[in-house]
Amino acid sequence: MWSVGARRQLLVASIGGLSLFCSGASFTWVTPLLKQLQSPQSEVPMTADQSSWVVSLIEIGNLFTPIPAGILVDKWGRKPCLLFAAPLYVLSWLLVQFVRTVPSLYFMRIVQGMAMSVQYTILPMYIAEISGPSRRGALSSVFQGMWYLGVLYQYVIGAFFGYTGLTWFSIGPPLVFMALFAWCPESPYYLLMRGRRQDAAKVMAWLRGLSEDAAEPELKAIDDSILEERKQKSNWKDLVSTKSGRKALLIVLVVSTTEIMSGLTTVLSYISETIAETSGSQDEAEGVTIFLGVSLVLGTVLSACLSDRVGRRVLLLISSFATTLCLAASACYFFLKEMTSTDVSVLGWFPYFTIILFTNFVSFGVGALIPTLQSEMFCNTTRGIACGINTLHITILSFICLKMYQVIGDNFGLYVNYSVFTAFTAFGTVCIFLYLPETKGKTFAEIQKMLQMD
């Protein structure tokens, strides 16, 4: 049974997570519309190449804001920076609705990418800083869970509505987020960093469901760590100048690479079109897509339940290894279908099964735990810039995957895409096994000592 404080933390994390709901919805807005946009009756007629740019340009927008967000978050605060992104979504959806041209869609995707990278940089930090140590893993999973809920939202609405209806439904979530998050507290870590100790004590007491006196020990521990960092003149340069900083950054970048280069975001963007072409039925494609969205959410819930019990390392190893097997099976299927005369019609169910299975294994571990690792492995002075660097890293890889997926599939075959995905997840599995320490239940000081070890 969760205590009053734990429920309050979950409430705040979930409301903050609505910003990621908006990101997931914007990321996959185009997915149920791909076939429609390329048809002669399209609201905005476009070629296959133009539609691939509409899919991938959101990652170009992601390039502009993660580093500035990582710097400004310690100056302006976590809450104002997260709120800043929401109006960008509202304005971009209005642009989509009333200016129906290909260039306007390109611009909209870039603007939404800018908003998305702000949230990806700051929200993991905010959730980690409002969470108690024993709930950090579970609450950090809210981050990815809300993103998948946004994905599912667009899949479901897109099955019943076209361009106009889907866009109107997309405007609602950012408005709800702004209205609710305005009442949420600022991070107690940030308040202490700015010398606002009385405000931090009130926020910490409310979040823990305790009196200010009872919350004082945790508050003092945070205060002491901030003072120690200032005494040692710690700053963002420690990210590359210290062994623990470099190793933490490398581990997070490897896990992020494993997630993105598994093809997860690419498959989520093209799944409806891929299934429609494979099965010849748009209705079947929509059904599989909705089922995929539901299973992704359930996989993240399972991760939230297990990460603070069995540990991060175990979940990541199971996730990456199982993902590698599923991707290898998919690559074999598409190779037989595209490059040989083998009759695979009897295995028509197989690509659905392996794709849904692999996306679920990714969401269960690798996709869900990156925010947790970011919050646990970096100190206060490096966490913002480290999250910004990782968001930029994810953006570059995602753009490459999104833009090249259709190009490679059209010119060489889907089996090449899935073979590349298999190679990257296999490499990630080996790296996680060799270098990732278990951080479950460890204090920041203990984690830093492990990172200093060879």
Side-chain angles (χ1 to χ4, degrees):
M1 179 70 75
W2 282 36
S3 65
V4 172
R7 291 197 295 271
R8 288 176 179 173
Q9 293 166 48
L10 178 60
L11 175 64
V12 173
S14 298
I15 293 174
L18 284 174
S19 64
L20 256 292
F21 183 101
C22 300
S23 294
S26 65
F27 188 85
T28 49
W29 170 82
V30 72
T31 301
L33 299 177
L34 269 177
K35 280 291 184 182
Q36 176 187 330
L37 290 173
Q38 295 176 38
S39 72
Q41 296 78 33
S42 171
E43 300 268 3
V44 187
M46 63 180 67
T47 64
D49 182 64
Q50 288 174 322
S51 69
S52 73
W53 279 111
V54 173
V55 171
S56 58
L57 276 176
I58 197 167
E59 299 297 348
I60 295 296
N62 278 339
L63 293 172
F64 297 113
T65 48
I67 301 301
I71 295 171
L72 293 175
V73 70
D74 286 336
K75 297 182 180 297
W76 294 355
R78 285 58 164 145
K79 181 178 174 180
C81 288
L82 284 171
L83 280 171
F84 166 78
L88 295 180
Y89 284 116
V90 176
L91 294 174
S92 66
W93 289 128
L94 292 174
L95 177 67
V96 172
Q97 194 67 280
F98 296 112
V99 185
R100 302 190 178 190
T101 64
V102 172
S104 70
L105 289 183
Y106 288 169
F107 180 72
M108 173 274 284
R109 297 293 279 177
I110 292 173
V111 170
Q112 291 187 344
M114 295 171 66
M116 184 186 300
S117 64
V118 170
Q119 296 160 337
Y120 259 84
T121 300
I122 299 171
L123 187 61
M125 187 186 315
Y126 177 79
I127 292 177
E129 291 176 355
I130 60 100
S131 305
S134 63
R135 304 289 182 185
R136 193 167 52 216
L139 291 180
S140 292
S141 295
V142 169
F143 176 91
Q144 201 67 24
M146 293 300 285
W147 196 82
Y148 290 137
L149 276 175
V151 170
L152 176 60
Y153 179 79
Q154 295 294 61
Y155 286 170
V156 173
I157 301 299
F160 299 98
F161 293 89
Y163 184 103
T164 300
L166 187 60
T167 304
W168 280 124
F169 272 100
S170 300
I171 296 176
L175 293 174
V176 173
F177 167 70
M178 285 191 290
L180 295 180
F181 195 64
W183 297 94
C184 290
E186 178 58 272
S187 156
Y189 278 73
Y190 172 76
L191 295 173
L192 284 175
M193 288 171 62
R194 306 305 292 179
R196 296 166 56 184
R197 202 176 197 287
Q198 186 174 0
D199 292 335
K202 291 178 180 178
V203 170
M204 182 66 81
W206 185 82
L207 286 170
R208 300 298 181 262
L210 303 171
S211 66
E212 290 187 25
D213 289 340
E216 179 62 26
E218 185 178 354
L219 202 66
K220 186 176 185 304
I222 298 171
D223 213 1
D224 289 344
S225 68
I226 293 173
L227 291 173
E228 183 64 25
E229 288 166 7
R230 288 174 177 168
K231 186 189 301 183
Q232 295 177 358
K233 298 182 178 180
S234 301
N235 57 53
W236 65 268
K237 295 178 183 177
D238 292 341
L239 193 61
V240 292
S241 63
T242 64
K243 181 177 181 179
S244 59
R246 291 192 299 271
K247 190 171 181 180
L249 182 61
L250 182 61
I251 288 171
V252 170
L253 291 178
V254 166
V255 176
S256 296
T257 300
T258 305
E259 179 198 13
I260 301 303
M261 295 307 295
S262 72
L264 175 64
T265 54
T266 308
V267 169
L268 292 180
S269 295
Y270 286 101
I271 184 66
S272 182
E273 183 181 42
T274 300
I275 297 300
E277 291 177 355
T278 302
S279 67
S281 169
Q282 186 61 38
D283 290 339
E284 186 173 336
E286 290 171 353
V288 171
T289 301
I290 292 172
F291 180 78
L292 173 63
V294 172
S295 60
L296 285 172
V297 174
L298 294 178
T300 308
V301 171
L302 181 60
S303 175
C305 295
L306 294 178
S307 64
D308 286 323
R309 297 183 182 184
V310 303
R312 290 50 155 152
R313 177 181 164 85
V314 173
L315 289 187
L316 286 169
L317 283 172
I318 293 173
S319 170
S320 58
F321 180 70
T323 298
T324 302
L325 295 180
C326 293
L327 287 169
S330 296
C332 290
Y333 171 84
F334 285 116
F335 178 80
L336 292 174
K337 183 175 187 293
E338 297 169 342
M339 303 301 293
T340 73
S341 58
T342 305
D343 182 11
V344 295
S345 58
V346 70
L347 296 175
W349 56 271
F350 191 75
Y352 306 166
F353 176 74
T354 55
I355 288 174
I356 289 174
L357 205 58
F358 114 72
T359 53
N360 274 272
F361 275 120
V362 176
S363 69
F364 166 75
V366 174
L369 293 175
I370 291 172
T372 306
L373 295 179
Q374 288 181 162
S375 67
E376 292 179 331
M377 291 194 167
F378 301 111
C379 64
N380 293 323
T381 52
T382 62
R383 192 176 294 126
I385 193 68
C387 290
I389 291 172
N390 191 46
T391 300
L392 190 61
H393 169 74
I394 289 173
T395 294
I396 294 171
L397 292 181
S398 294
F399 175 75
I400 293 171
C401 281
L402 288 170
K403 189 67 186 86
M404 296 306 296
Y405 180 84
Q406 186 152 7
V407 174
I408 292 174
D410 291 344
N411 290 279
F412 302 100
L414 286 174
Y415 81 94
V416 176
N417 283 319
Y418 283 89
S419 297
V420 172
F421 297 157
T422 302
F424 272 97
T425 53
F427 176 75
T429 302
V430 173
C431 290
I432 290 169
F433 178 77
L434 293 176
Y435 301 113
L436 179 69
E438 180 54 74
T439 58
K440 182 194 74 168
K442 300 288 193 304
T443 64
F444 176 73
E446 291 170 333
I447 294 172
Q448 292 302 295
K449 287 180 181 177
M450 290 191 295
L451 292 173
Q452 290 286 358
M453 297 171 62
D454 292 326

